Amino acid sequence: MAPSPSRLIGVSIDESLGLHATPEAAQDRAQAIHDLLEGNDFALSNGKPGPYRLHVTAQDQRLVLAFSSDSGQSLHTFGLSLSPFRRVVKDYVQICDSYVLAVKASNPQSIEAVDMARRAIHNEGSEILQERLKDKATMDFDTARRLFTLVCALTAGGVR
């Protein structure tokens, strides 16, 4: 069976977004992109068919998401304000740090509790992302989760 055309087939990040990234942040970005491309269900709401390539830049405290066709034809570009994500990204980064510490030093019940909190914050961010993009794109929840992971990796890595 052929893959659905309603999907992302490529993601690139503007080089300027990685100028001050730590090696760990660069690895987080690469992993987020890999996971997103491994499985996603995504379609632009403007009716332009996929599959899509996404190029991410930043401008004026916004991520600029530029979508093109596989052949490079520009399909749609829009900004995603980072303001609605500030708190949830901060909380997510903190809980991820807590999870790493819990794995190193805690009992299984503590690890499970921190992991449940981490998942809840991640879900909250994914829901915010779906809401912010609802007029621009449709995606399943797993895709929203993977795309939120990329937003976190970009934001935590220095996009302000």
Side-chain angles (χ1 to χ4, degrees):
M1 174 163 41
S4 168
S6 296
R7 62 190 169 89
L8 295 166
I9 58 167
V11 177
S12 60
I13 308 295
D14 188 89
E15 287 180 15
S16 66
L17 295 180
L19 290 178
H20 305 290
T22 64
E24 294 82 9
Q27 177 59 36
D28 287 347
R29 291 174 185 188
Q31 186 64 51
I33 291 169
H34 176 270
D35 292 347
L36 180 59
L37 295 177
E38 278 296 301
N40 67 81
D41 183 3
F42 182 94
L44 291 173
S45 296
N46 65 3
K48 304 258 174 118
Y52 309 100
R53 294 192 176 280
L54 168 61
H55 182 71
V56 182
T57 60
Q59 181 179 17
D60 300 326
Q61 297 187 9
R62 299 172 85 77
L63 289 180
V64 178
L65 308 176
F67 295 90
S68 61
S69 68
D70 193 21
S71 65
Q73 177 188 9
S74 178
L75 299 175
H76 195 52
T77 299
F78 52 85
L80 179 65
S81 174
L82 294 173
S83 297
F85 296 97
R86 296 244 184 261
R87 182 196 53 79
V88 73
V89 168
K90 179 182 173 190
D91 291 350
Y92 184 69
V93 169
Q94 288 177 339
I95 199 74
C96 286
D97 291 344
S98 296
Y99 180 77
V100 169
L101 294 174
V103 167
K104 290 180 182 178
S106 294
N107 61 48
Q109 295 81 7
S110 296
I111 294 168
E112 185 176 340
V114 172
D115 188 48
M116 287 176 59
R118 182 186 62 80
R119 288 174 189 259
I121 294 168
H122 196 271
N123 286 345
E124 179 185 353
S126 303
E127 290 166 358
I128 292 169
L129 181 64
Q130 277 187 308
E131 177 64 26
R132 302 292 300 172
L133 296 180
K134 71 179 180 185
D135 295 333
K136 296 170 178 66
T138 59
M139 67 193 88
D140 64 2
F141 193 66
D142 287 340
T143 300
R145 285 180 56 84
R146 292 178 186 115
L147 194 54
F148 176 71
T149 300
L150 180 58
V151 169
C152 286
L154 291 170
T155 304
V159 175
R160 303 283 182 245

